[in-house]
Amino acid sequence: MAENTEPSALDLRRRARAARNAGDRELALADERAAVALLRLESPGPELAHAVRHVADILVELDRAGEATAAITEALALYRAIDAPPLDIANAMRSAAVHAEAIGDKAGARELWCDARTRYAALSDVFSAMTGSPANPGVDEATMRLAALGRD
């Protein structure tokens, strides 16, 4: 019997993260999309939601935010459907806010950043436990982004 030498979804996600960290976003996108395809067959749970969100994030980083709309919409729906942990939802709202900014939807971005900031603020104990610091980078980023968006 032949051994399966195809990478698993986890392998593809790890490769995508490494490529993204190295600045090769096209390779990261290809690997993340391949992982999404496998995860759709294997498990429509949290890993699929994360992978779809990362596809959207990478597309935004590549200045292809218009292509990311379907992925961010799907990711938010997947997170809601699996009753995701609060940090995952906050991160998804952050991704949606970054996407809204990238497509020029300032009002939508403000609303999403406010939502993300509220969610991150409720997680201050989590950040403190993770980092040993009282700083909350989610709140800090959302506050900075909201200030940059200003008011119209």
Side-chain angles (χ1 to χ4, degrees):
M1 182 189 289
E3 192 174 312
N4 182 2
T5 59
E6 295 296 316
S8 69
L10 181 60
D11 293 335
L12 289 163
R13 299 224 48 233
R14 285 181 181 147
R15 261 185 11 200
R17 183 174 28 253
R20 194 173 175 192
N21 289 341
D24 190 344
R25 287 180 175 66
E26 290 292 346
L27 178 59
L29 180 61
D31 283 343
E32 204 71 69
R33 281 181 164 161
V36 166
L38 288 176
L39 289 166
R40 287 190 195 289
L41 300 173
E42 297 171 7
S43 163
E47 279 303 310
L48 176 59
H50 294 322
V52 171
R53 177 171 56 90
H54 288 177
V55 165
D57 292 343
I58 295 166
L59 284 166
V60 170
E61 291 168 9
L62 288 168
D63 293 324
R64 292 163 51 188
E67 293 176 53
T69 302
I72 197 62
T73 300
E74 180 184 4
L76 291 171
L78 287 166
Y79 280 115
R80 282 188 212 101
I82 61 171
D83 194 28
L87 181 57
D88 289 350
I89 297 290
N91 288 338
M93 299 310 292
R94 178 201 176 278
S95 290
V98 170
H99 172 260
E101 280 186 62
I103 61 170
D105 180 4
K106 288 177 84 173
R110 274 193 291 279
E111 182 179 325
L112 290 161
W113 277 120
C114 285
D115 186 317
R117 182 173 58 182
T118 299
R119 291 173 187 276
Y120 282 128
L123 297 168
S124 288
D125 290 344
V126 172
F127 284 110
S128 181
M130 286 171 38
T131 66
S133 166
N136 186 322
V139 169
D140 294 345
E141 180 187 19
T143 300
M144 179 195 70
R145 296 282 196 128
L146 283 163
L149 283 167
R151 295 227 177 261
D152 284 340

